Amino acid sequence: MARSASFAGGSHAPRRSANLPYPDAGGADDRAWRGEVVPLVYLAFVLLLGGGGTYYPLVETAIEWAAIGVIGWSTLRLRHAAIGPFGKALLALAALALLLPLAQLIPLPWSVWSTLGGQEQAVAIYRILGWEGVSRPLSLSPDATRATLLAQLPALAALLAVLGLSWTARLVALRIVVAIALLGILVAALQIAAGPDAAPLLYDTAHRGYGVGLFVNRNHQAVFLLVAMLVSTVPGVLVPDRRGVGGIGRLPFPALLAIVALLAMGVLASASRTALLLLPLALAGALLPFVRRVRRGRWLPATIGVAMVAAVALWFTPLVQGVLARFATVGEEDRYNYWDNSLFALRQSLPWGTGFGSFQTVYPVVEPLDQIQFLTVPHAHSDYLELAMEGGVPALALALAGLVLVGCGLVAALRAGGADATTRRGVAIGATGGIVMLLAGSIVDFPLRMSALLTLFAALVALLAPPAVVPARRRSGIAWRIVVAVVLLGAAWQALAQGLSQQLMHGRQGAAASQVAPWSGRAWAMVAAQHPLPGQAAAAEAAARRALATRPMDAVAVRVAGLAAIARGDTATGQTLLRQAAQLGWRDAPTQLWLVREAINAGAFDFALERIDALLRQRQLAPILYAQMSRLFDLPEGRSAIARRLAERPGWRQGFLNTLARGAPDRVDALAAFYGDLARAGVPVRTDEVRLTLWRLAEAGDMVAAERLWRMAGGTGRIGNGGFDGPAGALPPAAPPFDWRAPPAAGVRVAIGEPDQPWNGQAVEIAADAGSAGTPLAQRTRLLPGTYRLGFVLRSDGPVPALDWIVACGDAPPVTATLAAPVADRGWQRYAGTIRLPGRCDDGELRVRLGETNRAVSAWIDDVTLARTG
């Protein structure tokens, strides 16, 4: 049978499709093909631009406008079409999926709304505001629910458009998926080759350095490539089917294998662990249709050989090893915490959910302090959990019905007969494989929250249905056209206002955003926060109330309403609102600062430090908070509370210890008591944590205090870090007491590293050019009169350099160690010697002096000890 000239590059006239019974063979067929171009262009447009998500609202608005246009076009085109039972069931399910968020926007009586699960804090806030009895929709974030509803339009457009495509056009749609996937791989290769800083990115991403292709998230890129891999080998897409129909020419099996291998390489380049686990399944599904052909033909030995060589070669590449290395951190995944918290919120909100799009409102309420970090959590990283949390039992029921419907569609396609049965079976198997990949990726991520992948998902589901029979010339009536136009124009206006409002909020233009989209609670909350208090208390409170009328659990709006009430003299109401704001999470900095001040005034230091901890984990207001903690540090009770907080080893622990170094000379006893508190709490300070404090004490000339605190931090003997266990690299020219430094010496290089034959891990290497001399290594210390035993080990592959060990103390003559003959031990030379100090040396320095050499030398030193023997 001849292939279609329009889509397969053949030279014959277009074949009349069995499901498009046009009355004439000329103009009607041409009009049909022209009509099918619109869905194909739309699909390509969304797949190319729909990988950025809500962080790019204007792009999302452009996609939604395109979807609205396609919905209108498809609605009129399918108005009188004959759609099979499966297609009608899909449309009914899609209608229910749109009606569910609409139902969440319907105001409910107070008696009903106030008893719903997950609404307790919203109810409490409304009672404080005096709004008890008002009607409220189920959704806790109606503006986000409206945005979610608009975000479903691209998927609806794909569903309607694909239902009206012939089998030939459907094969072209799958070719478009493969082509854009290959384009994404090309972009990903350029991104990896250019490096993280110069990578050509369509969207800014936290996954710089990986192959994200046309997406903002590497996991979504990987899932898209897996889908493309499965549909690329559908007979009729890239290779002709048994009847010779479809396919780009007669693509030989090696070329198809190369395309599948390229897609697999793109999956590896994304470094997605989930995709790597799904890759063998996708490869098996992609190549399954060709097993019989390979087994009967001459390609079997070559295919096996190439696959084995490629697998071995790839295994040792940095690309594969980098992906495998990521599995070592599976146990540290933050996703487990996201899931646990989301499950907690889910149990609270059953059976009706909290409203689509409300995740970012609800999740901060259940986010524990020890999980707070700089980045916020935008999604549950499981589409199923987030769907259940926001949509409740009705959403889960719809999802289950959708899965059953997909299964029924596959079974019907496999049993179908007729002229297009072979094509239908192949397309159904490939589409189902793609659906499985998207659903599997949704277990641990949120691919269906991206317009590109949600649209692709809807298109794949629609491919399971037989094409609708579209009449050639019958048109919809004018009344129907007017109704469709009015509805779609309203949706287009909503989409534009939503997108512009979000874009303006990205630019911190709250006033303009609230005028463009007056229903946006987020915009009004931004307006409220931008009115300075107490000068504009009335305007701030009015905007906050506008926000709370839409989003009753908006932490910013609750906080502004509370501060505004205090500013106008209603202290009791204001403080009550601020306490409610504190229960809405740890992330609103002004609320937490108010609580810190109130708690300190009340002597509740542990409570205050919890709030300080939350802000510091988000890298907010560190100078202000460290100053607050420094004042608490001067109080014994406050110092103990700080020690209890630092006992949990928060990420800002080192920063605060460095802050204490500023006043170290005036608070030595307080620091000693603090170190003692930390030791009793089971997390004593380490010597590397107090380096700045020791430095400040040495600068002040108080080496006695420096030694005291160094020993409390775990220092032993008379010198520190004798094993050179610090960070590898060149030693600095200056260092605090009880730490090594490398005084500048011409032609001499000193660095900590790992010898080829280590003594005990790291060591320090002294490398000198011929004719060099000087003092390459030194450490400031405090020594009492008496005899000291010096020990170290040395290894040199060439001439042993002339090294003297000297103690220098002020203006007194330096004392040189007397070294005994070395003893060979494990390829190293073990040295021992003695140093006799005639007087006290409160601020001395142990130095290694390098004698002039007549050739280049290199030596490793390790295990340096200096202990007083008498």
Side-chain angles (χ1 to χ4, degrees):
M1 185 177 291
R3 288 176 286 115
S4 169
S6 299
F7 291 91
S11 58
H12 301 285
R15 179 175 60 90
R16 181 177 297 181
S17 173
N19 52 43
L20 291 175
Y22 301 116
D24 59 277
D29 256 354
D30 292 339
R31 285 193 300 272
W33 285 120
R34 287 198 300 270
E36 290 181 327
V37 168
V38 174
L40 300 176
V41 172
Y42 168 73
L43 179 63
F45 175 73
V46 178
L47 291 179
L48 284 170
L49 297 180
T54 56
Y55 298 106
Y56 296 87
L58 294 184
V59 176
E60 287 294 293
T61 299
I63 291 173
E64 289 168 5
W65 269 43
I68 291 168
V70 172
I71 290 171
W73 176 86
S74 298
T75 301
L76 296 176
R77 184 168 183 260
L78 299 177
R79 176 73 173 86
H80 300 290
I83 301 175
F86 182 76
K88 291 180 179 179
L90 285 180
L91 293 177
L93 191 65
L96 290 174
L98 292 175
L99 287 174
L100 184 55
L102 279 175
Q104 293 179 339
L105 297 175
I106 298 173
L108 301 174
W110 174 271
S111 58
V112 175
W113 176 72
S114 60
T115 61
L116 297 177
Q119 311 277 359
E120 295 80 9
Q121 285 178 291
V123 171
I125 291 168
Y126 269 32
R127 282 178 171 150
I128 296 169
L129 293 171
W131 293 351
E132 187 171 359
V134 300
S135 298
R136 272 282 311 167
L138 180 146
S139 175
L140 289 172
S141 302
D143 48 358
T145 303
R146 292 165 74 122
T148 302
L149 180 60
L150 291 171
Q152 309 309 308
L153 297 181
L156 177 62
L159 181 66
L160 290 170
V162 173
L163 278 177
L165 290 181
S166 65
W167 287 118
T168 306
R170 292 183 179 202
L171 294 175
V172 176
L174 294 180
R175 288 175 211 154
I176 289 173
V177 173
V178 177
I180 293 177
L182 293 174
L183 174 63
I185 290 176
L186 175 61
V187 174
L190 294 175
Q191 291 165 346
I192 294 176
D197 296 329
L201 297 170
L202 187 60
Y203 303 108
D204 192 21
T205 175
H207 295 165
R208 286 179 173 271
Y210 299 97
V212 296
L214 303 176
F215 288 84
V216 75
N217 187 306
R218 64 184 174 199
N219 300 305
H220 302 161
Q221 158 81 348
V223 170
F224 178 54
L225 297 182
L226 292 173
V227 174
M229 189 182 303
L230 286 166
V231 302
S232 65
T233 58
V234 170
V237 176
L238 299 185
V239 295
D241 61 19
R242 295 177 181 178
R243 299 175 301 163
V245 177
I248 302 175
R250 292 185 176 275
L251 192 67
F253 180 74
L256 179 66
L257 188 64
I259 290 175
V260 172
L262 188 60
L263 292 168
M265 290 290 292
V267 173
L268 292 176
S270 70
S272 170
R273 289 172 297 200
T274 303
L276 185 62
L277 293 175
L278 293 173
L279 182 58
L281 180 62
L283 285 171
L287 299 178
L288 187 61
F290 302 93
V291 171
R292 183 178 303 175
R293 180 184 301 179
V294 171
R295 188 171 62 235
R296 292 179 177 177
R298 64 185 183 277
W299 297 111
L300 181 59
T303 301
I304 295 176
V306 170
M308 292 181 63
V309 171
V312 173
L314 284 173
W315 182 265
F316 297 101
T317 62
L319 181 65
V320 175
Q321 291 300 313
V323 178
L324 295 176
R326 295 194 67 234
F327 282 94
T329 62
V330 168
E332 304 170 6
E333 267 293 323
D334 289 332
R335 281 183 174 87
Y336 304 138
N337 295 328
Y338 304 159
W339 297 341
D340 186 56
N341 299 334
S342 299
L343 279 171
F344 181 82
L346 169 61
R347 288 192 291 268
Q348 302 297 312
S349 63
L350 286 175
W352 304 112
T354 57
F356 290 104
S358 64
F359 178 85
Q360 293 186 42
T361 297
V362 176
Y363 187 84
V365 180
V366 299
E367 189 177 23
L369 173 61
D370 60 357
Q371 295 174 22
I372 294 292
Q373 53 183 327
F374 172 65
L375 297 175
T376 58
V377 182
H379 295 287
H381 286 73
S382 171
D383 275 332
Y384 304 104
L385 263 179
E386 194 164 343
L387 179 71
M389 176 179 161
E390 295 181 342
V393 173
L396 292 177
L398 280 179
L400 181 59
L403 290 176
V404 172
L405 197 57
V406 167
C408 293
L410 176 62
V411 171
L414 295 178
R415 293 178 175 177
D420 292 318
T422 302
T423 302
R424 181 177 179 184
R425 281 195 292 270
V427 170
I429 292 172
T432 303
I435 291 169
V436 169
M437 290 296 113
L438 288 166
L439 294 178
S442 297
I443 296 174
V444 295
D445 210 85
F446 47 96
L448 297 182
R449 303 276 167 174
M450 294 289 127
S451 295
L453 296 180
L454 180 61
T455 300
L456 177 60
F457 180 81
L460 293 174
V461 172
L463 288 175
L464 297 175
V469 180
V470 182
R473 293 175 179 173
R474 188 171 180 180
R475 293 187 176 185
S476 300
I478 187 65
W480 176 255
R481 289 171 176 263
I482 292 174
V483 169
V484 171
V486 169
V487 172
L488 295 182
L489 285 174
W493 170 72
Q494 289 276 311
L496 179 61
Q498 178 72 29
L500 286 176
S501 177
Q502 289 183 347
Q503 186 67 32
L504 289 168
M505 283 188 282
H506 285 342
R508 308 300 299 171
Q509 300 180 53
S514 66
Q515 296 304 309
V516 171
W519 62 80
S520 174
R522 282 187 58 219
W524 284 110
M526 184 176 290
V527 172
Q530 290 173 341
H531 283 296
L533 293 169
Q536 298 183 21
E541 187 171 24
R545 285 176 172 263
R546 285 286 299 267
L548 292 172
T550 301
R551 298 166 62 100
M553 289 175 58
D554 189 291
V556 173
V558 176
R559 178 250 302 170
V560 172
L563 293 176
I566 292 174
R568 61 178 169 79
D570 191 353
T571 304
T573 299
Q575 290 181 339
T576 305
L577 282 171
L578 285 167
R579 293 190 187 97
Q580 286 293 329
Q583 296 179 33
L584 298 178
W586 305 89
R587 294 190 175 274
D588 184 50
T591 299
Q592 302 304 323
L593 282 176
W594 178 82
L595 287 168
V596 167
R597 185 180 68 250
E598 293 294 306
I600 291 175
N601 292 338
F605 299 143
D606 285 306
F607 184 88
L609 286 164
E610 279 185 343
R611 269 64 197 167
I612 290 175
D613 186 5
L615 293 173
L616 290 174
R617 287 172 185 265
Q618 300 170 66
R619 306 176 194 173
Q620 294 193 58
L621 309 172
I624 296 173
L625 297 171
Y626 285 157
Q628 291 270 25
M629 294 177 70
S630 292
R631 286 193 287 273
L632 284 180
F633 184 85
D634 294 326
L635 303 173
E637 300 86 353
R639 193 160 52 241
S640 297
I642 293 173
R644 288 191 291 274
R645 182 55 48 187
L646 262 64
E648 299 179 8
R649 292 199 179 278
W652 50 268
R653 171 176 161 131
Q654 182 66 67
F656 177 68
L657 291 175
N658 288 345
T659 299
L660 294 179
R662 297 172 187 168
D666 300 324
R667 50 171 50 152
V668 173
D669 291 337
L671 285 168
F674 184 57
Y675 293 175
D677 289 341
L678 287 173
R680 285 186 290 275
V683 283
V685 292
R686 304 184 307 269
T687 54
D688 62 294
E689 291 182 311
V690 299
R691 295 177 78 248
L692 188 58
T693 299
L694 300 182
W695 210 326
R696 293 287 184 262
L697 291 172
E699 287 177 343
D702 195 350
M703 284 292 292
V704 175
E707 181 187 8
R708 176 187 177 189
L709 296 184
W710 175 66
R711 294 193 181 283
M712 293 193 72
T716 58
R718 309 307 306 182
I719 60 171
N721 195 20
F724 302 96
D725 297 324
L731 283 176
F738 309 103
D739 206 352
W740 298 105
R741 68 186 184 95
V748 181
R749 297 168 298 282
V750 182
I752 294 176
E754 184 89 23
D756 293 336
Q757 185 179 341
W759 171 263
N760 184 20
Q762 292 188 149
V764 66
E765 181 185 22
I766 300 175
D769 299 332
S772 300
T775 302
L777 194 62
Q779 182 173 143
R780 196 171 177 182
T781 184
R782 177 173 177 267
L783 301 171
L784 299 175
T787 302
Y788 291 83
R789 182 179 67 251
L790 172 69
F792 64 95
V793 294
L794 182 144
R795 183 174 180 273
S796 178
D797 294 331
V800 177
L803 298 176
D804 293 324
W805 293 76
I806 297 169
V807 171
C809 187
D811 296 330
V815 179
T816 303
T818 302
L819 299 178
V823 178
D825 188 352
R826 292 161 33 197
W828 290 67
Q829 298 293 317
R830 183 192 292 275
Y831 286 84
T834 58
I835 300 175
R836 293 182 175 85
L837 291 182
R840 179 173 178 147
C841 184
D842 280 338
D843 192 357
E845 191 167 59
L846 177 67
R847 299 173 180 171
V848 177
R849 185 172 63 193
L850 172 68
E852 186 172 345
T853 62
N854 57 8
R855 66 178 67 181
V857 295
S858 175
W860 291 91
I861 297 174
D862 199 0
D863 199 18
V864 180
T865 59
L866 183 66
R868 190 164 180 255
T869 59

